[in-house]
Amino acid sequence: DIAVCVQNLLAIVRGEVPYDRLRGLDPRIIDRPAADAVAEAVQDADWMLGVYEPRAKIDSIGAVNDDAAEGIFRVTAEIS
């Protein structure tokens, strides 16, 4: 299922997948200021989904702030 594949890709941190170290979101984003990190995470997710899940038609990619004071957010994608 395409939606499950997209969800799995967004949950992976780059470097976790043996023999495919580019798959996943860039972990260097973690230490950035929240405003910069969100923009970089969205851009990185867009690239990753385009490369690793070309079947998904991406309508939008964004981030949801779970705890803005702590800089905790999730990358989300709307697909069709």
Side-chain angles (χ1 to χ4, degrees):
D1 185 32
I2 295 171
V4 172
C5 291
V6 168
Q7 183 178 9
N8 289 339
L9 285 169
L10 293 176
I12 297 171
V13 175
R14 189 165 292 149
E16 284 185 320
V17 180
Y19 304 110
D20 192 358
R21 298 293 182 186
L22 291 179
R23 188 178 305 224
L25 294 173
D26 190 353
R28 294 177 295 176
I29 295 170
I30 293 170
D31 290 333
R32 305 239 187 231
D36 298 336
V38 168
E40 289 181 37
V42 167
Q43 182 180 9
D44 195 39
D46 186 39
W47 172 83
M48 182 184 56
L49 293 177
V51 170
Y52 290 103
E53 192 49 74
R55 300 176 299 167
K57 181 181 177 284
I58 302 167
D59 296 330
S60 68
I61 297 178
V64 176
N65 284 331
D66 289 336
D67 188 352
E70 294 293 322
I72 299 171
F73 61 91
R74 290 177 287 125
V75 177
T76 61
E78 295 285 329
I79 60 170
S80 57

